[in-house]
Amino acid sequence: MSGWLAVAGLGPGDAALITPEVRETLAEASDLLGYGPYVARVAARPGLAIHPSDNREELARARHGLALAAAGARAVLVCSGDPGVFAMAAAVCEAIETGPPEWAALDLRILPGITAMLAASARAGAPLGHDFCAINLSDNLKPWPLLARRLALAAEADFAIALYNPRSRARPDTLDRAFDLLRGAVGGARPVLFARALYSAEERLEIVALAEARGAMADMRTLVLIGSSRTRLVPRPRGALLYTPRSAA
Amino acid sequence: MSGWLAVAGLGPGDAALITPEVRETLAEASDLLGYGPYVARVAARPGLAIHPSDNREELARARHGLALAAAGARAVLVCSGDPGVFAMAAAVCEAIETGPPEWAALDLRILPGITAMLAASARAGAPLGHDFCAINLSDNLKPWPLLARRLALAAEADFAIALYNPRSRARPDTLDRAFDLLRGAVGGARPVLFARALYSAEERLEIVALAEARGAMADMRTLVLIGSSRTRLVPRPRGALLYTPRSAA
């Protein structure tokens, strides 16, 4: 019997947003791996071995999953959101590229999930209705000059900009620097969405003008989204709608 | 009894990728709206009125859904992929902004789905593992100079680039022009993924160098993804893995 490794996205947190594909794969698993809080989202059951790990150990976790699969396990490595967006799928690919040749022959399944910017967009209206980009602010290996250049070009291209992992303990001031840079590029009027802990009891949506946006308004459970020049705010009795029209004209 | 309008993402096409939230909402619906082929994905049942429409009638379809909800219907407007990414959520927001004031008071629910680039990424490896952008090539109202400028800036920012709706009858040469422009900006070595009819019996993945990429390799069911400078191709017995490492260093 041959093993496999699935890298599965659990979405923003609500079970109603976990795909049947992921749920069925979890039901077949012999081994469950992932960052502790994500592993804790999956119900324990007899026959499912649990291997929670620390957030910083991505490559080691990927290798662990591949080694288990190579030994015949039906291993599922769970991520929040989608595994392909700033999450574990890239670490697994890197582990395969740099690992023993037999890992390249394994049955690898990557199972998509609802990534944070889609959940934030759904809660707020449709800010990603026109061209957009997604930038990871948490990468400790990304030097500020590179990040600054990318943000400036994204603003010049008039993308709506989704910022993932906007605040980390290691780089607490990056988000404020990003806001400063964007204010210099596009002024202070753009709407900025702070979407925190989506689809949980602590969900909070806040929309402020870029002039008022502060890094302290976000934490690691927040997705920050800066509108393009065309993004509009429509007042409503039940909270404003934030949307970007599809057409550029 | 008050009505509501849900704008629901059906994902790439496979029922295993439709979220429970969408499935449960469809089960409660009295009225189903959408582009004909998407409406056809939902099983008919007694008590569910079907309102299929043509692809070009987005604003009219949005207004129809809002009018039904205002009259007390439990209306679901279905989209392929995610409703917020180049789909119907923005049209509904626009219809609310420009419609009668009572539409702004309606219960509007936007239900996220697996958008094409996440499905393509999952099938190919992890090409969106680092910063990326998404550009809609089909918008007939987007003039070529604006699109060209955005593509050039995206290349300069070193984003992986997902191109939605790459070929339309109205603008059959746009994708070839985009490839030409990108070759001029970054050379011909970048891997280009053509991901067609994902999660269907006709699924086809093709990866070629940008030098070999041609518009004719895509149709409207294809998602095109151009790697960044860091995107790597890992040969495997079961098909190469395409991925972009998380770190920029």
Side-chain angles (χ1 to χ4, degrees):
Chain A
M1 214 199 81
S2 57
W4 44 260
L5 174 64
V7 190
L10 297 178
D14 186 331
L17 293 189
I18 299 177
T19 67
E21 181 182 56
V22 167
R23 190 159 298 286
E24 286 155 23
T25 302
L26 284 168
E28 293 170 13
S30 63
D31 292 81
L32 176 66
L33 304 94
Y35 174 46
Y38 305 153
V39 162
R41 282 197 211 159
V42 179
R45 61 171 166 79
L48 181 66
I50 311 284
H51 311 277
S53 51
D54 192 76
N55 203 9
R56 298 297 172 105
E57 297 167 359
E58 281 151 5
L59 203 54
R61 188 190 303 144
R63 289 182 176 132
H64 187 192
L66 289 160
L68 285 167
R74 305 177 303 283
V76 181
L77 202 173
V78 289
C79 318
S80 179
D82 179 82
V85 176
F86 313 137
M88 286 301 300
V92 170
C93 292
E94 186 179 336
I96 289 173
E97 184 177 22
T98 58
E102 60 264 34
W103 285 0
L106 283 173
D107 178 358
L108 172 67
R109 308 166 186 185
I110 298 172
L111 312 182
I114 304 293
T115 185
M117 68 181 165
L118 301 189
S121 165
R123 285 307 211 205
L128 305 178
H130 197 67
D131 302 338
F132 62 91
C133 66
I135 296 177
N136 186 359
L137 287 196
S138 90
D139 185 345
N140 291 302
L141 297 176
K142 192 189 290 175
W144 169 254
L146 172 64
L147 184 55
R149 188 158 169 277
R150 191 163 287 159
L151 286 166
L153 289 164
E156 198 181 339
D158 203 17
F159 285 120
I161 302 172
L163 299 177
Y164 277 71
N165 304 313
R167 297 261 295 179
S168 67
R169 262 155 290 179
R171 291 170 59 179
D173 61 340
T174 302
L175 182 56
D176 271 316
R177 293 176 82 178
F179 285 148
D180 280 341
L181 183 153
L182 291 171
R183 278 188 284 266
V186 302
R190 296 285 171 89
V192 179
L193 168 68
F194 293 84
R196 183 174 183 279
L198 294 172
Y199 292 83
S200 82
E202 302 98 57
E203 174 171 312
R204 196 189 64 215
L205 288 187
E206 191 174 9
I207 299 172
V208 303
L210 182 51
E212 315 301 326
R214 298 290 176 268
M217 295 172 177
D219 62 16
M220 282 305 275
R221 297 183 71 194
T222 308
L223 188 288
V224 176
L225 201 156
I226 299 112
S228 78
S229 69
R230 311 235 327 124
T231 304
R232 305 178 57 77
L233 206 53
V234 183
R236 287 193 312 166
R238 33 179 103 223
L241 278 178
L242 183 72
Y243 87 101
T244 310
R246 286 190 68 175
S247 69
Chain B
M1 216 198 81
S2 57
W4 44 260
L5 174 64
V7 190
L10 297 178
D14 185 333
L17 293 189
I18 298 177
T19 66
E21 181 183 56
V22 167
R23 191 160 296 287
E24 286 156 22
T25 302
L26 285 168
E28 293 170 15
S30 62
D31 292 81
L32 176 66
L33 302 95
Y35 175 47
Y38 305 152
V39 163
R41 283 199 210 157
V42 178
R45 61 172 166 77
L48 181 65
I50 311 285
H51 312 276
S53 51
D54 191 75
N55 202 10
R56 298 296 171 105
E57 298 168 358
E58 282 152 4
L59 203 54
R61 189 190 301 143
R63 289 182 177 135
H64 187 192
L66 288 160
L68 285 167
R74 303 177 304 282
V76 181
L77 203 173
V78 289
C79 318
S80 179
D82 179 83
V85 176
F86 313 137
M88 285 301 300
V92 170
C93 292
E94 187 179 336
I96 289 173
E97 185 178 21
T98 58
E102 58 266 32
W103 285 1
L106 283 173
D107 179 357
L108 172 68
R109 308 166 186 184
I110 299 171
L111 312 182
I114 303 295
T115 185
M117 68 181 167
L118 301 188
S121 165
R123 286 306 210 207
L128 305 178
H130 198 68
D131 301 339
F132 62 92
C133 65
I135 295 176
N136 186 0
L137 287 196
S138 89
D139 186 344
N140 290 305
L141 297 175
K142 192 190 289 176
W144 170 254
L146 173 64
L147 184 54
R149 186 158 172 278
R150 191 162 287 160
L151 286 166
L153 289 164
E156 197 180 340
D158 203 17
F159 284 120
I161 302 172
L163 298 178
Y164 277 70
N165 303 313
R167 297 260 295 178
S168 67
R169 262 155 289 180
R171 292 170 59 178
D173 61 340
T174 302
L175 182 56
D176 271 316
R177 294 176 82 178
F179 286 147
D180 280 341
L181 182 152
L182 291 171
R183 278 187 284 266
V186 302
R190 295 285 172 88
V192 179
L193 169 68
F194 294 84
R196 183 174 183 279
L198 294 172
Y199 292 83
S200 82
E202 302 99 59
E203 173 169 313
R204 197 188 65 215
L205 288 186
E206 192 175 7
I207 299 172
V208 303
L210 182 51
E212 314 301 327
R214 298 290 175 268
M217 296 172 177
D219 62 15
M220 281 307 274
R221 296 182 71 194
T222 308
L223 189 286
V224 176
L225 202 156
I226 299 111
S228 77
S229 69
R230 311 238 325 126
T231 304
R232 304 178 59 76
L233 206 53
V234 183
R236 288 192 312 166
R238 33 179 104 223
L241 279 177
L242 184 72
Y243 86 101
T244 311
R246 286 189 67 173
S247 69

